[in-house]
Amino acid sequence: MPTHAPVPSGPTPTAGRVVLDADDIHRALTRISHEILERNKGAEDLLLLGLHTRGVPLAHRIAANIATVEGTTVATGSLDVTMYRDDLRSHPTRTPHRTEVPDIDGKIVVLVDDVLYSGRTIRAALDALSDLGRPAVVRLAVLVDRGHRELPIRADHVGKNLPTARSERVSLRLVETDEIDEVRIIDSPGGSQ
């Protein structure tokens, strides 16, 4: 008797329209890498912290770009903000990921995330950082800024400003986690990310 793969819940991976393909993502991350170097005047004291899940591979890609330009390795880490979120009561808790953060005291920390929406994830990341040490500066780099902020948070480095309706969802997939690089806009009654 043939077995069938489980039917995925939610929109299919090919739903909606592609707004960034692999080349667009590569160009955006290259530009962000150069902006970070320019603003920091080099790679000294720089630490890239990727936010789980897709911010982590983005941070590694930016670090690789910086290493190519500067010829030096940039420290990277990963930060899970699950337990710092302010919506734990209203959303099911996901399984936390491992946080791996080198010493942040006195460092120029660039938080790297995939999609900036309400700003609540970044607020949670700032709370988590305050428990880990005292960086000299904290900046934010995101691949996509879709607007609809609920908190006064702004990204320093943005790959693509993508104005969306609240009824739309931004689906970002990366080779490292999803086997393809693309950003799609999907009509979704909940409009969750």
Side-chain angles (χ1 to χ4, degrees):
M1 181 158 73
T3 59
H4 298 285
V7 177
S9 62
T12 63
T14 58
R17 69 185 191 282
V18 174
V19 291
L20 295 174
D21 62 18
D23 290 337
D24 297 326
I25 291 171
H26 174 75
R27 280 189 293 275
L29 291 176
T30 299
R31 184 172 29 81
I32 288 171
S33 304
H34 285 280
E35 287 176 3
I36 290 170
L37 283 171
E38 188 174 312
R39 179 131 186 225
N40 195 51
K41 296 179 175 56
E44 190 174 338
D45 290 327
L46 192 60
L47 170 60
L48 302 174
L49 278 184
L51 301 184
H52 280 290
T53 297
R54 288 171 184 82
V56 175
L58 292 175
H60 287 290
R61 290 189 196 187
I62 292 169
N65 289 342
I66 290 172
T68 300
V69 171
E70 291 289 302
T72 184
T73 302
V74 176
T76 60
S78 61
L79 186 62
D80 186 352
V81 300
T82 300
M83 300 315 292
Y84 289 88
R85 295 193 59 92
D86 63 1
D87 60 358
L88 287 176
R89 281 185 250 151
S90 60
H91 288 72
T93 305
R94 66 177 190 189
T95 304
H97 290 86
R98 184 175 174 91
T99 290
E100 296 178 12
V101 178
D103 180 28
I104 65 171
D105 289 333
K107 299 291 185 190
I108 296 157
V109 174
V110 179
L111 296 173
V112 181
D113 202 8
D114 55 356
V115 178
L116 179 57
Y117 180 40
S118 68
R120 294 186 179 278
T121 299
I122 304 308
R123 189 225 28 98
L126 293 170
D127 287 349
L129 277 182
S130 69
D131 282 352
L132 297 171
R134 186 180 168 99
V137 175
V138 179
R139 296 189 182 123
L140 175 60
V142 296
L143 183 58
V144 174
D145 183 346
R146 66 168 289 192
H148 304 290
R149 215 74 75 240
E150 296 171 3
L151 298 171
I153 290 175
R154 180 185 59 83
D156 299 284
H157 310 285
V158 178
K160 176 81 171 171
N161 285 297
L162 196 58
T164 59
R166 286 194 184 269
S167 63
E168 294 174 316
R169 189 169 75 83
V170 173
S171 171
L172 187 140
R173 302 190 314 157
L174 298 174
V175 167
E176 295 89 341
T177 55
D178 310 292
E179 300 178 2
I180 188 171
D181 279 347
E182 69 177 14
V183 177
R184 290 178 178 268
I185 294 181
I186 300 170
D187 288 324
S188 171
S192 63
Q193 186 187 26

